[in-house]
Amino acid sequence: MSEDKHNLFGGTPYQPQGEIYFNDGREIELLDFMYAHPHLKDMRGNPQKVLDAIDEYGKTRKYLMNIGEYKSKTIVDLIKEEKPHTIVELGGYVGYSAIAFGAALRNIGGKHYYSLEMNPEFAAVISMLVDLAGLSDVVKVEVGPSSDSLKRLHEEGTLNHIDLLFLDHYKPAYTPDLKICEELGLVSEGSIYAADNVIKPGNPLYLQYVRSTVQEKKKSFGQIDSTAPRGNPNLIYDSQLIEGWEPSGVPDAIEITRCIGIQA
Ligand SMILES: C[S@@+](CC[C@H](N)C(=O)[O-])C[C@H]1O[C@@H](n2cnc3c(N)ncnc32)[C@H](O)[C@@H]1O
C-alpha cells in the first residue's frame, strides 16, 4: 500500500479479520457502539456524523462490509450531477450507503430511496441508523430478497421508475435483478446503474451483460432458461468503469451504466 493510500484509510486495519466477517453479532454490536457513543447527541439528525461513527467502529472494532468513504464519494457526486428522483439500492447491510446516498438525494430535492435488504436483523439496524441520521422521510427499508421486493413494490404501484439503481448485494444476483427491472419497465432511457465490487470480488457476467450491444443481447435472448428473468435486450447501454478502493485500501471499481436509448 502506498503511503498516500495508507493515510487515506487512516493507517488502520479496516479489513476482514479471519473468515467470518459479518452476521456474527457485530451488526448489533455496532448499534450498542453507536448508542453508547460520547457524540450520540451530535449524531441525531446529522448523516455525516452517523457515517463517521460507523467508520470509527469499522476502523477500531470490527470490519464492516460497507461501500466506505472513498467509493461512496463517486456515487454522491453522481447524485449531485444527475439529480435522480428515485434511487433503489440492492443490499443495505447496516445502512452506510443508504445514509450517505439518502442524504445526498434529499439535498438535491430527490424523494425516494428504497433500501432492499434480505436479512431482517440487518434491515432493523438500517432503520435505526437511518432514523438516527434523521433520514426516515426519504429512506424506506424493504425486507426480503431483492427480486421479491422489486416485484412487490412494482405490483403495489409504489415503484414505477428507477432513476438510479445501486447494486451491492449478492454478486450472481446483479444480472437477474437488473433483468427483472428491465422486464417490469422500471428502467428506461435516462436510468443509471451503479454496480459495486466489479473488481473485488468481481462480476464478469454482469460486466458482460451491461457492455453488450443490443444485437449481442438479442442473440443470447433465445437461449435463456425459461425460468430465469429474460430482461429487455432492446435497452441500449453505455457503460464505464470507475476505479476506487475498498475501505481496506484494496483496489476495486464501480461500473456506471447509462441507458441511453431503446432500439425500436
Ligand atoms: C456488501 S453488503 C451491502 C453494503 C451496503 N450497500 C453499504 O455499502 O453500506 C451486501 C448486503 O446484501 C444483502 N443481500 C444479499 N443478497 C441479497 C438479496 N438477494 N436481496 C437483498 N439483500 C441481499 C446482504 O444481507 C448484505 O447485507
Side-chain angles (χ1 to χ4, degrees):
M1 190 186 287
S2 76
E3 205 183 321
D4 277 346
K5 219 191 296 170
H6 195 78
N7 289 337
L8 181 63
F9 296 99
T12 49
Y14 192 9
Q15 55 194 319
Q17 308 286 314
E19 289 197 352
I20 298 170
Y21 58 90
F22 69 99
N23 208 12
D24 58 352
R26 71 185 64 196
E27 295 79 14
I28 303 300
E29 199 182 291
L30 169 69
L31 280 186
D32 289 327
F33 174 84
M34 302 292 284
Y35 283 93
H37 199 284
H39 298 142
L40 174 66
K41 224 171 132 196
D42 304 331
M43 284 185 223
R44 295 194 187 279
N46 187 326
Q48 189 54 53
K49 293 249 186 296
V50 173
L51 294 173
D52 291 346
I54 299 174
D55 277 329
E56 186 187 333
Y57 177 93
K59 286 173 183 169
T60 61
R61 305 287 176 99
K62 286 179 188 154
Y63 167 83
L64 296 170
M65 55 175 172
N66 305 323
I67 186 165
E69 294 163 79
Y70 189 86
K71 283 187 291 169
S72 73
K73 190 176 175 308
T74 302
I75 296 185
V76 167
D77 288 347
L78 188 70
I79 294 170
K80 285 185 191 158
E81 248 174 64
E82 301 292 340
K83 305 200 171 18
H85 186 269
T86 300
I87 303 180
V88 171
E89 108 178 329
L90 310 182
Y93 191 41
V94 293
Y96 190 96
S97 49
I99 293 168
F101 308 154
L105 180 72
R106 190 173 63 184
N107 286 344
I108 53 99
K111 294 281 176 259
H112 303 290
Y113 192 101
Y114 296 98
S115 176
L116 276 44
E117 172 53 52
M118 184 169 76
N119 181 311
E121 279 182 23
F122 298 171
V125 175
I126 305 171
S127 296
M128 288 192 71
L129 297 183
V130 160
D131 184 54
L132 182 62
L135 288 167
S136 300
D137 54 334
V138 176
V139 179
K140 181 108 188 3
V141 185
E142 301 292 340
V143 189
S146 45
S147 54
D148 292 355
S149 296
L150 285 166
K151 289 176 200 162
R152 178 177 52 79
L153 290 170
H154 175 257
E155 250 169 53
E156 291 170 358
T158 310
L159 184 65
N160 39 49
H161 190 258
I162 301 174
D163 301 308
L164 177 60
L165 178 69
F166 174 52
L167 301 96
D168 192 19
H169 59 332
Y170 179 53
K171 306 312 150 195
Y174 281 28
T175 314
D177 279 353
L178 173 57
K179 286 182 177 176
I180 289 174
C181 294
E182 292 178 342
E183 277 180 8
L184 296 176
L186 289 172
V187 289
S188 58
E189 187 171 351
S191 294
I192 302 175
Y193 321 141
D196 194 20
N197 305 124
V198 295
I199 300 284
K200 169 97 180 134
N203 203 330
L205 289 177
Y206 177 81
L207 291 184
Q208 188 190 5
Y209 185 71
V210 293
R211 292 173 184 181
S212 294
T213 62
V214 167
Q215 286 68 28
E216 286 163 342
K217 286 188 284 184
K218 277 185 166 164
K219 236 192 219 166
S220 49
F221 192 67
Q223 299 154 14
I224 299 169
D225 154 15
S226 61
T227 59
R230 289 159 67 87
N232 177 357
N234 295 316
L235 298 179
I236 307 167
Y237 291 147
D238 178 46
S239 209
Q240 109 183 83
L241 192 79
I242 309 283
E243 292 183 343
W245 290 281
E246 283 283 273
S248 58
V250 170
D252 189 18
I254 300 174
E255 180 82 357
I256 305 284
T257 304
R258 290 163 196 272
C259 179
I260 54 170
I262 303 180
Q263 190 151 299

